[in-house]
Amino acid sequence: ASRFAFEWTDGSRQWVERMLDYNVPGGKLNRGLSVIDSYKLLKEGKDLSENEVFLASALGWCIEWLQAYFLVLDDIMDNSHTRRGQPCWYRVPKVGMIAVNDGIILRNHIPRILKKHFREKPYYVDLLDLFNEVEFQTASGQMIDLITTIGGEKDLSKYSLPLHRRIVQYKTAYYSFYLPVACALLMAGENLEKHKLVQDVLIDMGIYFQVQDDYLDCFGEPEKIGKIGTDIEDFKCSWLVVKALELCNEEQKKTLIEHYGKEDPADVSKIKALYNEINLQGVFAEFESKSYEKLTSSIEAHPSKSVQAVLKS
């Protein structure tokens, strides 16, 4: 594709290098590592060639690139201050709104990496299709989240368990849980159409993960979870507030409506006190064990032992 080769200059190369170093590494790398782990398990103990490890790693990095693209733009949309313990990229001096274009450049690295290493593979088209579909799901989930949370008029009555589930399924579960395993399945020569059960289990795992995240946002210790929770202040459609609305009496519902989504620490304290009053910690513990049992039995129902191993890992 040399006809299209972009002529890098020192300035542009340095900019992109600094931008990638700032935004792509630095997380837990769960999503990328998951591709390699899953592929190893699908190969059932057969030794991987150096090339297979390389290709699985390349797909893992594509997911981390996708994640970086989402985060750079999400932080602008949410007006966030910090990410992974440092200022958000758009808040770095001299970056500002150039970060929007940097997000686009991150996004465009994905098809270029795929083309460079996978264009001769029988599953190349399926890979491109998978990344495109998952990106669309994630952007759609982000849209539902944004229009419900920042809908100007703060209306708690529209918050429900099905809405929470939809936001999480599209915004987080597809790209964080399904995508890494789907990449490994394609590399292993599998047809994704035949793995609907795998997708369902991974989506449920993603929801379980997010409910845990919502719980920790309120009840976790900042020094343990690496961030300070702001879901109550931000009027987020958190699992906790959805459950609270279900369990409250009329008096408690009034308190919720009056104090949820306010910046003042006094309002936040009132919400947390109400959460304790209705024993949300106990409700969460019950959700957690029920989900775990349901996931375990779904996994054990899968005909393939190697696929079971991937899902259990």
Side-chain angles (χ1 to χ4, degrees), residues 14 21 23 96 100 127 135 161 167 179 193 220 227 282 294:
Q14 279 161 7
D21 280 344
N23 294 300
V100 175
L127 264 182
E135 184 190 357
L161 223 47
I167 292 173
L179 180 57
E193 296 293 306
K227 56 189 174 184
K294 184 174 168 277

PDB file of all heavy atoms in Angstrom, residues 14 21 23 96 100 127 135 161 167 179 193 220 227 282 294:
ATOM      1  N   GLN A  14       7.105  11.879  16.664  1.00  0.00           N
ATOM      2  CA  GLN A  14       7.274  12.073  18.113  1.00  0.00           C
ATOM      3  C   GLN A  14       5.928  12.258  18.816  1.00  0.00           C
ATOM      4  O   GLN A  14       5.706  11.730  19.904  1.00  0.00           O
ATOM      5  CB  GLN A  14       8.180  13.281  18.393  1.00  0.00           C
ATOM      6  CG  GLN A  14       9.658  12.937  18.260  1.00  0.00           C
ATOM      7  CD  GLN A  14      10.540  14.189  18.084  1.00  0.00           C
ATOM      8  OE1 GLN A  14      10.056  15.326  18.200  1.00  0.00           O
ATOM      9  NE2 GLN A  14      11.814  13.970  17.798  1.00  0.00           N
ATOM     10  N   ASP A  21       2.495   6.056  24.050  1.00  0.00           N
ATOM     11  CA  ASP A  21       3.107   5.718  25.347  1.00  0.00           C
ATOM     12  C   ASP A  21       2.225   6.163  26.508  1.00  0.00           C
ATOM     13  O   ASP A  21       2.184   5.524  27.553  1.00  0.00           O
ATOM     14  CB  ASP A  21       4.480   6.395  25.494  1.00  0.00           C
ATOM     15  CG  ASP A  21       5.566   5.643  24.753  1.00  0.00           C
ATOM     16  OD1 ASP A  21       5.328   4.468  24.400  1.00  0.00           O
ATOM     17  OD2 ASP A  21       6.638   6.230  24.512  1.00  0.00           O
ATOM     18  N   ASN A  23      -1.159   6.619  26.475  1.00  0.00           N
ATOM     19  CA  ASN A  23      -2.535   6.093  26.510  1.00  0.00           C
ATOM     20  C   ASN A  23      -2.713   4.589  26.359  1.00  0.00           C
ATOM     21  O   ASN A  23      -3.723   4.052  26.783  1.00  0.00           O
ATOM     22  CB  ASN A  23      -3.373   6.788  25.432  1.00  0.00           C
ATOM     23  CG  ASN A  23      -3.547   8.261  25.721  1.00  0.00           C
ATOM     24  OD1 ASN A  23      -4.089   8.643  26.750  1.00  0.00           O
ATOM     25  ND2 ASN A  23      -3.032   9.099  24.820  1.00  0.00           N
ATOM     26  N   GLY A  96      -5.077  19.192  24.810  1.00  0.00           N
ATOM     27  CA  GLY A  96      -6.427  19.735  24.670  1.00  0.00           C
ATOM     28  C   GLY A  96      -7.264  18.951  23.678  1.00  0.00           C
ATOM     29  O   GLY A  96      -7.295  17.719  23.704  1.00  0.00           O
ATOM     30  N   VAL A 100      -9.035  14.561  20.455  1.00  0.00           N
ATOM     31  CA  VAL A 100     -10.109  13.972  19.644  1.00  0.00           C
ATOM     32  C   VAL A 100      -9.486  13.293  18.423  1.00  0.00           C
ATOM     33  O   VAL A 100      -9.787  12.140  18.102  1.00  0.00           O
ATOM     34  CB  VAL A 100     -11.134  15.034  19.202  1.00  0.00           C
ATOM     35  CG1 VAL A 100     -12.169  14.423  18.262  1.00  0.00           C
ATOM     36  CG2 VAL A 100     -11.833  15.656  20.422  1.00  0.00           C
ATOM     37  N   LEU A 127     -12.207 -11.262  11.465  1.00  0.00           N
ATOM     38  CA  LEU A 127     -11.561 -10.401  12.459  1.00  0.00           C
ATOM     39  C   LEU A 127     -11.986  -8.943  12.270  1.00  0.00           C
ATOM     40  O   LEU A 127     -12.356  -8.271  13.232  1.00  0.00           O
ATOM     41  CB  LEU A 127     -10.034 -10.467  12.323  1.00  0.00           C
ATOM     42  CG  LEU A 127      -9.247 -11.425  13.207  1.00  0.00           C
ATOM     43  CD1 LEU A 127      -7.753 -11.246  12.914  1.00  0.00           C
ATOM     44  CD2 LEU A 127      -9.537 -11.220  14.684  1.00  0.00           C
ATOM     45  N   GLU A 135     -17.040  -2.449  18.137  1.00  0.00           N
ATOM     46  CA  GLU A 135     -16.919  -0.997  18.286  1.00  0.00           C
ATOM     47  C   GLU A 135     -18.292  -0.332  18.225  1.00  0.00           C
ATOM     48  O   GLU A 135     -18.601   0.577  19.006  1.00  0.00           O
ATOM     49  CB  GLU A 135     -16.015  -0.408  17.199  1.00  0.00           C
ATOM     50  CG  GLU A 135     -15.821   1.085  17.407  1.00  0.00           C
ATOM     51  CD  GLU A 135     -15.132   1.782  16.248  1.00  0.00           C
ATOM     52  OE1 GLU A 135     -14.736   1.112  15.271  1.00  0.00           O
ATOM     53  OE2 GLU A 135     -14.999   3.016  16.323  1.00  0.00           O
ATOM     54  N   LEU A 161     -33.471  -2.096  36.308  1.00  0.00           N
ATOM     55  CA  LEU A 161     -32.512  -3.179  36.084  1.00  0.00           C
ATOM     56  C   LEU A 161     -32.305  -3.483  34.594  1.00  0.00           C
ATOM     57  O   LEU A 161     -31.162  -3.633  34.151  1.00  0.00           O
ATOM     58  CB  LEU A 161     -32.967  -4.428  36.856  1.00  0.00           C
ATOM     59  CG  LEU A 161     -31.876  -5.211  37.597  1.00  0.00           C
ATOM     60  CD1 LEU A 161     -30.979  -4.301  38.412  1.00  0.00           C
ATOM     61  CD2 LEU A 161     -32.493  -6.284  38.472  1.00  0.00           C
ATOM     62  N   ILE A 167     -27.078  -0.980  29.246  1.00  0.00           N
ATOM     63  CA  ILE A 167     -25.912  -0.093  29.193  1.00  0.00           C
ATOM     64  C   ILE A 167     -24.644  -0.919  29.351  1.00  0.00           C
ATOM     65  O   ILE A 167     -23.704  -0.811  28.557  1.00  0.00           O
ATOM     66  CB  ILE A 167     -25.983   1.010  30.277  1.00  0.00           C
ATOM     67  CG1 ILE A 167     -27.134   1.984  29.974  1.00  0.00           C
ATOM     68  CG2 ILE A 167     -24.646   1.764  30.367  1.00  0.00           C
ATOM     69  CD1 ILE A 167     -27.401   3.006  31.070  1.00  0.00           C
ATOM     70  N   LEU A 179     -14.894  -9.912  23.237  1.00  0.00           N
ATOM     71  CA  LEU A 179     -13.909  -9.684  22.172  1.00  0.00           C
ATOM     72  C   LEU A 179     -12.608 -10.478  22.322  1.00  0.00           C
ATOM     73  O   LEU A 179     -12.159 -11.107  21.356  1.00  0.00           O
ATOM     74  CB  LEU A 179     -13.642  -8.175  22.031  1.00  0.00           C
ATOM     75  CG  LEU A 179     -12.629  -7.726  20.972  1.00  0.00           C
ATOM     76  CD1 LEU A 179     -13.013  -8.207  19.577  1.00  0.00           C
ATOM     77  CD2 LEU A 179     -12.487  -6.192  20.979  1.00  0.00           C
ATOM     78  N   GLU A 193     -20.326 -18.024  14.795  1.00  0.00           N
ATOM     79  CA  GLU A 193     -21.771 -18.290  14.717  1.00  0.00           C
ATOM     80  C   GLU A 193     -22.164 -19.472  15.591  1.00  0.00           C
ATOM     81  O   GLU A 193     -23.275 -19.546  16.106  1.00  0.00           O
ATOM     82  CB  GLU A 193     -22.183 -18.607  13.269  1.00  0.00           C
ATOM     83  CG  GLU A 193     -21.992 -17.463  12.283  1.00  0.00           C
ATOM     84  CD  GLU A 193     -22.920 -16.285  12.563  1.00  0.00           C
ATOM     85  OE1 GLU A 193     -24.141 -16.510  12.639  1.00  0.00           O
ATOM     86  OE2 GLU A 193     -22.406 -15.161  12.734  1.00  0.00           O
ATOM     87  N   GLY A 220     -16.110   0.351  48.261  1.00  0.00           N
ATOM     88  CA  GLY A 220     -14.689  -0.004  48.216  1.00  0.00           C
ATOM     89  C   GLY A 220     -13.829   1.070  48.857  1.00  0.00           C
ATOM     90  O   GLY A 220     -14.245   2.225  48.955  1.00  0.00           O
ATOM     91  N   LYS A 227      -9.132   4.396  42.816  1.00  0.00           N
ATOM     92  CA  LYS A 227      -9.888   5.554  42.340  1.00  0.00           C
ATOM     93  C   LYS A 227     -10.932   5.937  43.375  1.00  0.00           C
ATOM     94  O   LYS A 227     -11.290   5.137  44.244  1.00  0.00           O
ATOM     95  CB  LYS A 227     -10.552   5.269  40.986  1.00  0.00           C
ATOM     96  CG  LYS A 227     -11.453   4.034  40.984  1.00  0.00           C
ATOM     97  CD  LYS A 227     -11.939   3.649  39.586  1.00  0.00           C
ATOM     98  CE  LYS A 227     -12.704   2.338  39.645  1.00  0.00           C
ATOM     99  NZ  LYS A 227     -13.117   1.851  38.338  1.00  0.00           N
ATOM    100  N   GLY A 282     -25.851  -6.741  51.803  1.00  0.00           N
ATOM    101  CA  GLY A 282     -26.383  -8.104  51.839  1.00  0.00           C
ATOM    102  C   GLY A 282     -27.023  -8.499  50.515  1.00  0.00           C
ATOM    103  O   GLY A 282     -26.848  -9.620  50.025  1.00  0.00           O
ATOM    104  N   LYS A 294     -24.842 -19.423  38.686  1.00  0.00           N
ATOM    105  CA  LYS A 294     -25.447 -19.448  37.353  1.00  0.00           C
ATOM    106  C   LYS A 294     -24.359 -19.534  36.275  1.00  0.00           C
ATOM    107  O   LYS A 294     -24.471 -20.321  35.326  1.00  0.00           O
ATOM    108  CB  LYS A 294     -26.303 -18.195  37.155  1.00  0.00           C
ATOM    109  CG  LYS A 294     -27.068 -18.155  35.836  1.00  0.00           C
ATOM    110  CD  LYS A 294     -28.010 -16.950  35.784  1.00  0.00           C
ATOM    111  CE  LYS A 294     -28.579 -16.699  34.402  1.00  0.00           C
ATOM    112  NZ  LYS A 294     -27.667 -15.931  33.522  1.00  0.00           N
TER     113      LYS A 294
END
